[in-house]
Amino acid sequence: MNFNLPTAAAWYLTAAVVSAGVGYWSGWQRGQAWEEAICTQAAAELLADQEQQLRTEYERQLAEADDAVRSLRAEKASITQRASELEQEIDRVTSHYREQPQAPAQPLPDCRFTHGFVGLYNAAITPTVQVPRSDPATGTDGKAGTTGTADPLGLSPIRQPDILHHITGYGARCQAIEAQLSSLIDYLQATQGTRHD
C-alpha cells in the first residue's frame, strides 16, 4: 500500500501539472484572442476615423467646388447681361452725334473702312488670319495688280455698328474666359491651402 502512494501522488502531480498546463494554455489563448480583439477594434476605429476625415474633406472640397461654379455662372451671366446692354446702345451711338452738348442730334456722317483695316482687325484677334500686305503690287501702268485677295485700300462693306457688334461679343467672350481662369486658379489654390489675390 505504501508502494502505491507515490504512484497516486505522481498521478495527482501529473494531473495537476497537466491541468495547470491546460489552464495556462487556455488562458494564454484567451489572452491572445482578447489582445487580437482589442487590436482589431482599434484598427477598425482608426479606419473609421480616417474614413470620416476623408469624407469630411471630400464634402468640404465639393462644397468649395459648388461655390466656385455658382460664382462663375453668376459672373458669366453678369458679363452676358452687360454685353446685351451694350448691344442695345450700338445703333444710337453709330447713327447720330452732337457738335455741342446742347445741340440737337444730327445724322452721323458715313464711316468707311478699307479691306486692309478689316484684315488687320481680324489678324489682331485671330492668330490664323494672315496680315494683309500694306500695298498691293502695281503694274507698269501704275494701277494696282489683280490678285486673289481684295485690294487692301478698297472700301469694305463693314460699318461702325458691325465693328461694335463684333467687339461686344468678343469682349464678353474674353471676359468669360478670364473669369473662368481666375475661378480655376482660386479653386486650385484654395484646395492646396493657399490664396491668390
Side-chain angles (χ1 to χ4, degrees):
M1 197 148 228
N2 286 345
F3 183 76
N4 288 336
L5 186 58
T7 305
W11 186 85
Y12 283 120
L13 183 60
T14 302
V17 168
V18 168
S19 178
V22 168
Y24 174 78
W25 177 253
S26 175
W28 182 82
Q29 283 183 323
R30 281 194 303 266
Q32 186 171 357
W34 180 75
E35 185 178 323
E36 286 176 0
I38 288 176
C39 287
T40 301
Q41 182 180 357
E45 289 172 359
L46 181 62
L47 286 174
D49 276 353
Q50 289 175 343
E51 181 183 357
Q52 183 57 42
Q53 289 173 3
L54 289 172
R55 185 183 314 267
T56 300
E57 178 63 15
Y58 169 75
E59 288 171 355
R60 183 191 67 77
Q61 289 182 5
L62 191 61
E64 283 185 1
D66 285 345
D67 288 346
V69 168
R70 270 193 297 277
S71 176
L72 179 60
R73 285 181 179 159
E75 191 168 356
K76 283 185 170 183
S78 175
I79 290 167
T80 301
Q81 176 63 33
R82 184 169 182 271
S84 176
E85 291 168 2
L86 292 173
E87 287 274 347
Q88 293 172 14
E89 290 293 308
I90 290 175
D91 286 340
R92 187 176 67 83
V93 300
T94 58
S95 61
H96 290 82
Y97 79 104
R98 285 191 179 97
E99 289 187 7
Q100 298 175 359
Q102 302 302 323
Q106 299 178 36
L108 190 65
D110 191 26
C111 178
R112 303 295 301 266
F113 298 100
T114 63
H115 288 292
F117 174 93
V118 174
L120 286 176
Y121 181 93
N122 290 335
I125 60 174
T126 307
T128 57
V129 174
Q130 292 185 0
V131 177
R133 294 185 319 195
S134 60
D135 221 357
T138 56
T140 55
D141 58 0
K143 295 184 178 179
T146 57
T147 61
T149 60
D151 176 7
L153 299 180
L155 290 178
S156 166
I158 301 295
R159 297 284 191 259
Q160 282 180 316
D162 301 322
I163 301 278
L164 285 177
H165 281 293
H166 179 264
I167 201 64
T168 300
Y170 187 79
R173 181 173 179 262
C174 291
Q175 291 171 45
I177 290 169
E178 183 179 350
Q180 190 169 345
L181 180 60
S182 294
S183 178
L184 177 62
I185 290 170
D186 288 345
Y187 172 75
L188 290 175
Q189 289 180 338
T191 59
Q192 296 169 2
T194 59
R195 280 283 178 190
H196 172 260
D197 293 324

